[in-house]
Amino acid sequence: MKRILVLISGNGSNLQALLDQAAAGRLGGEVVAVISNKADAYGLERARAAGVATEVLPGRDFADRDSFDAALRQRIDGYTPDLVVLAGFMRILTPALVRHYEGRMLNIHPSLLPKYQGLNTHQRAIDAGDDEHGCSVHFVTEELDGGPVILQARVPVFADDDATTVAERVHVQEHAIYPLAVRWFCDGRLAMKGGQAWLDNQPLPPEGHAGD
Ligand SMILES: Nc1nc2c(c(=O)[nH]1)N[C@@H](CN(C=O)c1ccc(C(=O)N[C@@H](CCC(=O)O)C(=O)O)cc1)CN2
Ligand SMILES: NCC(=O)N[C@@H]1O[C@H](COP(=O)([O-])[O-])[C@@H](O)[C@H]1O
């Protein structure tokens, strides 16, 4: 059973999707701990309700990004995870930390990468007049939201949408594709090699695995 550690900063709906799949025996691994950089993250309640260990590491307790990441690495490694999953973890990670977990750290990003790296992606898609938007699961690399894409899901954007309605539509897709990508990793089907995502020993295209 692979050991999965999840990093959060907020609501934790993606964490909940992972917990639900794990409880149903469909994740291929167990969530061994949840670490948040925000003490008020509701995702911590979700983890506790599932009997999963939780820790809080407030960014404000550290003088700089390097010292925070050094402490975070120590906390993470204490759980000896096979996979580290960012699920709404809202901190940019230092190159040293990313290198330590490269190939075994995933992120869910609320856009069709490489479009809209960074924050505020739903409003940016609306402001651009996009009629399609979505989410991407990718390996985490030093380049912010620039890691190789594993899986994407698309949603329509309607004229009367706002950032909240688009976010709700994207969340539904996130909760489907993230557990799938994590399952692929836990089953030994997914890897990062030469800066590319590979599934079943085949390199994935830039947009990730095409839906079935
Ligand atoms: N080195 C990397 N770090 C992180 C990656 C990555 O691919 N490489 N993915 C992000 C996740 N993310 C979007 O998916 C993201 C998270 C946070 C930020 C950001 O600008 N954070 C600010 C603080 C914002 C806040 O506190 O609200 C910061 O850290 O200064 C951008 C994108 C996770 N990290
Ligand atoms: N750049 C990172 C980022 O914006 N991630 C996004 O934060 C949300 C977390 O929701 P959750 O806490 O309910 O899982 C998700 O929509 C995820 O794509």
PDB file of all heavy atoms in Angstrom, residues 9-40:
ATOM      1  N   SER A   9      -3.980  24.091   2.159  1.00  0.00           N
ATOM      2  CA  SER A   9      -4.020  25.421   2.768  1.00  0.00           C
ATOM      3  C   SER A   9      -5.440  25.856   3.096  1.00  0.00           C
ATOM      4  O   SER A   9      -5.627  26.886   3.743  1.00  0.00           O
ATOM      5  CB  SER A   9      -3.406  26.480   1.845  1.00  0.00           C
ATOM      6  OG  SER A   9      -2.040  26.225   1.586  1.00  0.00           O
ATOM      7  N   GLY A  10      -6.442  25.089   2.575  1.00  0.00           N
ATOM      8  CA  GLY A  10      -7.813  25.587   2.710  1.00  0.00           C
ATOM      9  C   GLY A  10      -8.873  24.534   2.879  1.00  0.00           C
ATOM     10  O   GLY A  10      -8.740  23.617   3.669  1.00  0.00           O
ATOM     11  N   ASN A  11      -9.951  24.651   2.055  1.00  0.00           N
ATOM     12  CA  ASN A  11     -11.156  23.854   2.211  1.00  0.00           C
ATOM     13  C   ASN A  11     -10.932  22.344   2.180  1.00  0.00           C
ATOM     14  O   ASN A  11     -11.511  21.587   2.942  1.00  0.00           O
ATOM     15  CB  ASN A  11     -12.168  24.261   1.128  1.00  0.00           C
ATOM     16  CG  ASN A  11     -13.456  23.462   1.226  1.00  0.00           C
ATOM     17  OD1 ASN A  11     -13.922  23.143   2.313  1.00  0.00           O
ATOM     18  ND2 ASN A  11     -14.013  23.105   0.091  1.00  0.00           N
ATOM     19  N   GLY A  12     -10.050  21.889   1.259  1.00  0.00           N
ATOM     20  CA  GLY A  12      -9.718  20.470   1.229  1.00  0.00           C
ATOM     21  C   GLY A  12     -10.706  19.600   0.487  1.00  0.00           C
ATOM     22  O   GLY A  12     -10.811  18.397   0.766  1.00  0.00           O
ATOM     23  N   SER A  13     -11.462  20.130  -0.474  1.00  0.00           N
ATOM     24  CA  SER A  13     -12.387  19.276  -1.231  1.00  0.00           C
ATOM     25  C   SER A  13     -11.642  18.247  -2.071  1.00  0.00           C
ATOM     26  O   SER A  13     -12.114  17.119  -2.246  1.00  0.00           O
ATOM     27  CB  SER A  13     -13.308  20.124  -2.101  1.00  0.00           C
ATOM     28  OG  SER A  13     -12.604  20.718  -3.169  1.00  0.00           O
ATOM     29  N   ASN A  14     -10.475  18.601  -2.590  1.00  0.00           N
ATOM     30  CA  ASN A  14      -9.667  17.602  -3.307  1.00  0.00           C
ATOM     31  C   ASN A  14      -9.116  16.563  -2.341  1.00  0.00           C
ATOM     32  O   ASN A  14      -9.057  15.370  -2.684  1.00  0.00           O
ATOM     33  CB  ASN A  14      -8.542  18.289  -4.071  1.00  0.00           C
ATOM     34  CG  ASN A  14      -9.000  18.824  -5.414  1.00  0.00           C
ATOM     35  OD1 ASN A  14      -9.168  18.076  -6.380  1.00  0.00           O
ATOM     36  ND2 ASN A  14      -9.236  20.118  -5.477  1.00  0.00           N
ATOM     37  N   LEU A  15      -8.721  16.988  -1.156  1.00  0.00           N
ATOM     38  CA  LEU A  15      -8.314  16.030  -0.122  1.00  0.00           C
ATOM     39  C   LEU A  15      -9.461  15.072   0.162  1.00  0.00           C
ATOM     40  O   LEU A  15      -9.264  13.851   0.236  1.00  0.00           O
ATOM     41  CB  LEU A  15      -7.923  16.765   1.157  1.00  0.00           C
ATOM     42  CG  LEU A  15      -7.804  15.910   2.420  1.00  0.00           C
ATOM     43  CD1 LEU A  15      -6.658  14.912   2.291  1.00  0.00           C
ATOM     44  CD2 LEU A  15      -7.638  16.791   3.657  1.00  0.00           C
ATOM     45  N   GLN A  16     -10.674  15.613   0.279  1.00  0.00           N
ATOM     46  CA  GLN A  16     -11.835  14.772   0.582  1.00  0.00           C
ATOM     47  C   GLN A  16     -12.057  13.744  -0.525  1.00  0.00           C
ATOM     48  O   GLN A  16     -12.359  12.574  -0.251  1.00  0.00           O
ATOM     49  CB  GLN A  16     -13.091  15.621   0.741  1.00  0.00           C
ATOM     50  CG  GLN A  16     -14.298  14.855   1.296  1.00  0.00           C
ATOM     51  CD  GLN A  16     -14.064  14.334   2.701  1.00  0.00           C
ATOM     52  OE1 GLN A  16     -13.815  15.121   3.617  1.00  0.00           O
ATOM     53  NE2 GLN A  16     -14.116  13.026   2.889  1.00  0.00           N
ATOM     54  N   ALA A  17     -11.875  14.147  -1.757  1.00  0.00           N
ATOM     55  CA  ALA A  17     -12.033  13.206  -2.879  1.00  0.00           C
ATOM     56  C   ALA A  17     -11.019  12.075  -2.756  1.00  0.00           C
ATOM     57  O   ALA A  17     -11.352  10.895  -2.985  1.00  0.00           O
ATOM     58  CB  ALA A  17     -11.858  13.943  -4.204  1.00  0.00           C
ATOM     59  N   LEU A  18      -9.801  12.401  -2.345  1.00  0.00           N
ATOM     60  CA  LEU A  18      -8.769  11.377  -2.163  1.00  0.00           C
ATOM     61  C   LEU A  18      -9.104  10.469  -0.981  1.00  0.00           C
ATOM     62  O   LEU A  18      -8.992   9.236  -1.069  1.00  0.00           O
ATOM     63  CB  LEU A  18      -7.402  12.031  -1.975  1.00  0.00           C
ATOM     64  CG  LEU A  18      -6.865  12.824  -3.160  1.00  0.00           C
ATOM     65  CD1 LEU A  18      -5.639  13.636  -2.747  1.00  0.00           C
ATOM     66  CD2 LEU A  18      -6.537  11.909  -4.338  1.00  0.00           C
ATOM     67  N   LEU A  19      -9.550  11.068   0.118  1.00  0.00           N
ATOM     68  CA  LEU A  19      -9.923  10.289   1.297  1.00  0.00           C
ATOM     69  C   LEU A  19     -11.069   9.326   0.974  1.00  0.00           C
ATOM     70  O   LEU A  19     -11.064   8.166   1.397  1.00  0.00           O
ATOM     71  CB  LEU A  19     -10.319  11.218   2.441  1.00  0.00           C
ATOM     72  CG  LEU A  19      -9.208  12.060   3.067  1.00  0.00           C
ATOM     73  CD1 LEU A  19      -9.796  13.095   4.027  1.00  0.00           C
ATOM     74  CD2 LEU A  19      -8.194  11.169   3.786  1.00  0.00           C
ATOM     75  N   ASP A  20     -12.046   9.821   0.210  1.00  0.00           N
ATOM     76  CA  ASP A  20     -13.196   8.984  -0.140  1.00  0.00           C
ATOM     77  C   ASP A  20     -12.767   7.790  -0.992  1.00  0.00           C
ATOM     78  O   ASP A  20     -13.210   6.657  -0.771  1.00  0.00           O
ATOM     79  CB  ASP A  20     -14.250   9.811  -0.891  1.00  0.00           C
ATOM     80  CG  ASP A  20     -14.901  10.864  -0.009  1.00  0.00           C
ATOM     81  OD1 ASP A  20     -14.751  10.784   1.236  1.00  0.00           O
ATOM     82  OD2 ASP A  20     -15.559  11.779  -0.564  1.00  0.00           O
ATOM     83  N   GLN A  21     -11.885   8.049  -1.954  1.00  0.00           N
ATOM     84  CA  GLN A  21     -11.415   6.956  -2.808  1.00  0.00           C
ATOM     85  C   GLN A  21     -10.568   5.964  -2.007  1.00  0.00           C
ATOM     86  O   GLN A  21     -10.650   4.750  -2.211  1.00  0.00           O
ATOM     87  CB  GLN A  21     -10.607   7.519  -3.988  1.00  0.00           C
ATOM     88  CG  GLN A  21     -11.452   8.243  -5.020  1.00  0.00           C
ATOM     89  CD  GLN A  21     -12.547   7.366  -5.610  1.00  0.00           C
ATOM     90  OE1 GLN A  21     -12.301   6.293  -6.143  1.00  0.00           O
ATOM     91  NE2 GLN A  21     -13.796   7.827  -5.469  1.00  0.00           N
ATOM     92  N   ALA A  22      -9.765   6.494  -1.092  1.00  0.00           N
ATOM     93  CA  ALA A  22      -8.955   5.604  -0.247  1.00  0.00           C
ATOM     94  C   ALA A  22      -9.844   4.733   0.629  1.00  0.00           C
ATOM     95  O   ALA A  22      -9.631   3.518   0.743  1.00  0.00           O
ATOM     96  CB  ALA A  22      -8.004   6.433   0.615  1.00  0.00           C
ATOM     97  N   ALA A  23     -10.887   5.340   1.190  1.00  0.00           N
ATOM     98  CA  ALA A  23     -11.801   4.584   2.070  1.00  0.00           C
ATOM     99  C   ALA A  23     -12.532   3.481   1.294  1.00  0.00           C
ATOM    100  O   ALA A  23     -12.850   2.425   1.847  1.00  0.00           O
ATOM    101  CB  ALA A  23     -12.815   5.538   2.699  1.00  0.00           C
ATOM    102  N   ALA A  24     -12.741   3.754  -0.006  1.00  0.00           N
ATOM    103  CA  ALA A  24     -13.424   2.760  -0.858  1.00  0.00           C
ATOM    104  C   ALA A  24     -12.445   1.732  -1.425  1.00  0.00           C
ATOM    105  O   ALA A  24     -12.832   0.853  -2.201  1.00  0.00           O
ATOM    106  CB  ALA A  24     -14.149   3.485  -1.993  1.00  0.00           C
ATOM    107  N   GLY A  25     -11.172   1.887  -1.064  1.00  0.00           N
ATOM    108  CA  GLY A  25     -10.170   0.940  -1.566  1.00  0.00           C
ATOM    109  C   GLY A  25      -9.832   1.134  -3.030  1.00  0.00           C
ATOM    110  O   GLY A  25      -9.342   0.214  -3.692  1.00  0.00           O
ATOM    111  N   ARG A  26     -10.096   2.352  -3.538  1.00  0.00           N
ATOM    112  CA  ARG A  26      -9.898   2.594  -4.991  1.00  0.00           C
ATOM    113  C   ARG A  26      -8.745   3.549  -5.280  1.00  0.00           C
ATOM    114  O   ARG A  26      -8.574   3.993  -6.408  1.00  0.00           O
ATOM    115  CB  ARG A  26     -11.190   3.151  -5.587  1.00  0.00           C
ATOM    116  CG  ARG A  26     -12.344   2.162  -5.641  1.00  0.00           C
ATOM    117  CD  ARG A  26     -13.439   2.664  -6.568  1.00  0.00           C
ATOM    118  NE  ARG A  26     -14.045   3.883  -6.050  1.00  0.00           N
ATOM    119  CZ  ARG A  26     -15.202   3.923  -5.365  1.00  0.00           C
ATOM    120  NH1 ARG A  26     -15.855   2.782  -5.124  1.00  0.00           N
ATOM    121  NH2 ARG A  26     -15.704   5.063  -4.918  1.00  0.00           N
ATOM    122  N   LEU A  27      -7.937   3.897  -4.245  1.00  0.00           N
ATOM    123  CA  LEU A  27      -6.844   4.854  -4.480  1.00  0.00           C
ATOM    124  C   LEU A  27      -5.512   4.140  -4.695  1.00  0.00           C
ATOM    125  O   LEU A  27      -4.575   4.708  -5.232  1.00  0.00           O
ATOM    126  CB  LEU A  27      -6.760   5.837  -3.301  1.00  0.00           C
ATOM    127  CG  LEU A  27      -5.961   7.111  -3.538  1.00  0.00           C
ATOM    128  CD1 LEU A  27      -6.577   7.954  -4.657  1.00  0.00           C
ATOM    129  CD2 LEU A  27      -5.869   7.945  -2.255  1.00  0.00           C
ATOM    130  N   GLY A  28      -5.402   2.919  -4.223  1.00  0.00           N
ATOM    131  CA  GLY A  28      -4.129   2.210  -4.362  1.00  0.00           C
ATOM    132  C   GLY A  28      -3.116   2.628  -3.315  1.00  0.00           C
ATOM    133  O   GLY A  28      -1.938   2.259  -3.364  1.00  0.00           O
ATOM    134  N   GLY A  29      -3.577   3.452  -2.362  1.00  0.00           N
ATOM    135  CA  GLY A  29      -2.675   3.911  -1.308  1.00  0.00           C
ATOM    136  C   GLY A  29      -3.479   4.455  -0.144  1.00  0.00           C
ATOM    137  O   GLY A  29      -4.712   4.541  -0.211  1.00  0.00           O
ATOM    138  N   GLU A  30      -2.773   4.822   0.898  1.00  0.00           N
ATOM    139  CA  GLU A  30      -3.438   5.402   2.070  1.00  0.00           C
ATOM    140  C   GLU A  30      -2.865   6.795   2.342  1.00  0.00           C
ATOM    141  O   GLU A  30      -1.661   7.036   2.148  1.00  0.00           O
ATOM    142  CB  GLU A  30      -3.227   4.517   3.305  1.00  0.00           C
ATOM    143  CG  GLU A  30      -1.785   4.361   3.726  1.00  0.00           C
ATOM    144  CD  GLU A  30      -1.626   3.602   5.054  1.00  0.00           C
ATOM    145  OE1 GLU A  30      -2.487   3.767   5.949  1.00  0.00           O
ATOM    146  OE2 GLU A  30      -0.631   2.864   5.166  1.00  0.00           O
ATOM    147  N   VAL A  31      -3.765   7.701   2.743  1.00  0.00           N
ATOM    148  CA  VAL A  31      -3.316   9.037   3.140  1.00  0.00           C
ATOM    149  C   VAL A  31      -2.798   8.920   4.570  1.00  0.00           C
ATOM    150  O   VAL A  31      -3.574   8.668   5.497  1.00  0.00           O
ATOM    151  CB  VAL A  31      -4.461  10.062   3.045  1.00  0.00           C
ATOM    152  CG1 VAL A  31      -3.991  11.444   3.511  1.00  0.00           C
ATOM    153  CG2 VAL A  31      -4.988  10.145   1.601  1.00  0.00           C
ATOM    154  N   VAL A  32      -1.490   9.060   4.738  1.00  0.00           N
ATOM    155  CA  VAL A  32      -0.892   8.829   6.066  1.00  0.00           C
ATOM    156  C   VAL A  32      -0.836  10.102   6.903  1.00  0.00           C
ATOM    157  O   VAL A  32      -0.754  10.042   8.141  1.00  0.00           O
ATOM    158  CB  VAL A  32       0.521   8.233   5.931  1.00  0.00           C
ATOM    159  CG1 VAL A  32       0.467   6.835   5.297  1.00  0.00           C
ATOM    160  CG2 VAL A  32       1.447   9.144   5.141  1.00  0.00           C
ATOM    161  N   ALA A  33      -0.909  11.276   6.229  1.00  0.00           N
ATOM    162  CA  ALA A  33      -0.890  12.536   6.988  1.00  0.00           C
ATOM    163  C   ALA A  33      -1.303  13.686   6.085  1.00  0.00           C
ATOM    164  O   ALA A  33      -1.155  13.619   4.859  1.00  0.00           O
ATOM    165  CB  ALA A  33       0.497  12.803   7.562  1.00  0.00           C
ATOM    166  N   VAL A  34      -1.814  14.718   6.725  1.00  0.00           N
ATOM    167  CA  VAL A  34      -2.170  15.970   6.050  1.00  0.00           C
ATOM    168  C   VAL A  34      -1.455  17.103   6.775  1.00  0.00           C
ATOM    169  O   VAL A  34      -1.556  17.214   8.011  1.00  0.00           O
ATOM    170  CB  VAL A  34      -3.690  16.201   6.076  1.00  0.00           C
ATOM    171  CG1 VAL A  34      -4.046  17.582   5.522  1.00  0.00           C
ATOM    172  CG2 VAL A  34      -4.409  15.112   5.264  1.00  0.00           C
ATOM    173  N   ILE A  35      -0.726  17.913   6.043  1.00  0.00           N
ATOM    174  CA  ILE A  35      -0.023  19.058   6.638  1.00  0.00           C
ATOM    175  C   ILE A  35      -0.555  20.329   5.983  1.00  0.00           C
ATOM    176  O   ILE A  35      -0.674  20.395   4.754  1.00  0.00           O
ATOM    177  CB  ILE A  35       1.500  18.969   6.424  1.00  0.00           C
ATOM    178  CG1 ILE A  35       2.066  17.698   7.071  1.00  0.00           C
ATOM    179  CG2 ILE A  35       2.189  20.213   7.010  1.00  0.00           C
ATOM    180  CD1 ILE A  35       3.561  17.477   6.829  1.00  0.00           C
ATOM    181  N   SER A  36      -0.911  21.294   6.819  1.00  0.00           N
ATOM    182  CA  SER A  36      -1.434  22.566   6.322  1.00  0.00           C
ATOM    183  C   SER A  36      -0.532  23.705   6.787  1.00  0.00           C
ATOM    184  O   SER A  36       0.016  23.673   7.902  1.00  0.00           O
ATOM    185  CB  SER A  36      -2.855  22.804   6.846  1.00  0.00           C
ATOM    186  OG  SER A  36      -3.312  24.107   6.492  1.00  0.00           O
ATOM    187  N   ASN A  37      -0.428  24.745   5.955  1.00  0.00           N
ATOM    188  CA  ASN A  37       0.302  25.938   6.384  1.00  0.00           C
ATOM    189  C   ASN A  37      -0.654  26.949   7.021  1.00  0.00           C
ATOM    190  O   ASN A  37      -0.217  28.023   7.436  1.00  0.00           O
ATOM    191  CB  ASN A  37       1.066  26.582   5.209  1.00  0.00           C
ATOM    192  CG  ASN A  37       0.139  27.109   4.132  1.00  0.00           C
ATOM    193  OD1 ASN A  37      -0.791  26.419   3.722  1.00  0.00           O
ATOM    194  ND2 ASN A  37       0.358  28.328   3.689  1.00  0.00           N
ATOM    195  N   LYS A  38      -1.955  26.590   7.068  1.00  0.00           N
ATOM    196  CA  LYS A  38      -2.969  27.459   7.687  1.00  0.00           C
ATOM    197  C   LYS A  38      -3.712  26.680   8.779  1.00  0.00           C
ATOM    198  O   LYS A  38      -4.301  25.619   8.503  1.00  0.00           O
ATOM    199  CB  LYS A  38      -3.982  27.940   6.632  1.00  0.00           C
ATOM    200  CG  LYS A  38      -3.357  28.712   5.477  1.00  0.00           C
ATOM    201  CD  LYS A  38      -2.948  30.118   5.876  1.00  0.00           C
ATOM    202  CE  LYS A  38      -2.456  30.896   4.655  1.00  0.00           C
ATOM    203  NZ  LYS A  38      -1.926  32.233   5.035  1.00  0.00           N
ATOM    204  N   ALA A  39      -3.715  27.207   9.983  1.00  0.00           N
ATOM    205  CA  ALA A  39      -4.339  26.510  11.116  1.00  0.00           C
ATOM    206  C   ALA A  39      -5.847  26.408  10.954  1.00  0.00           C
ATOM    207  O   ALA A  39      -6.469  25.475  11.488  1.00  0.00           O
ATOM    208  CB  ALA A  39      -4.001  27.234  12.417  1.00  0.00           C
ATOM    209  N   ASP A  40      -6.435  27.329  10.189  1.00  0.00           N
ATOM    210  CA  ASP A  40      -7.909  27.330  10.049  1.00  0.00           C
ATOM    211  C   ASP A  40      -8.377  26.602   8.796  1.00  0.00           C
ATOM    212  O   ASP A  40      -9.552  26.733   8.407  1.00  0.00           O
ATOM    213  CB  ASP A  40      -8.429  28.763  10.051  1.00  0.00           C
ATOM    214  CG  ASP A  40      -7.877  29.571   8.869  1.00  0.00           C
ATOM    215  OD1 ASP A  40      -6.975  29.055   8.140  1.00  0.00           O
ATOM    216  OD2 ASP A  40      -8.332  30.714   8.680  1.00  0.00           O
TER     217      ASP A  40
END
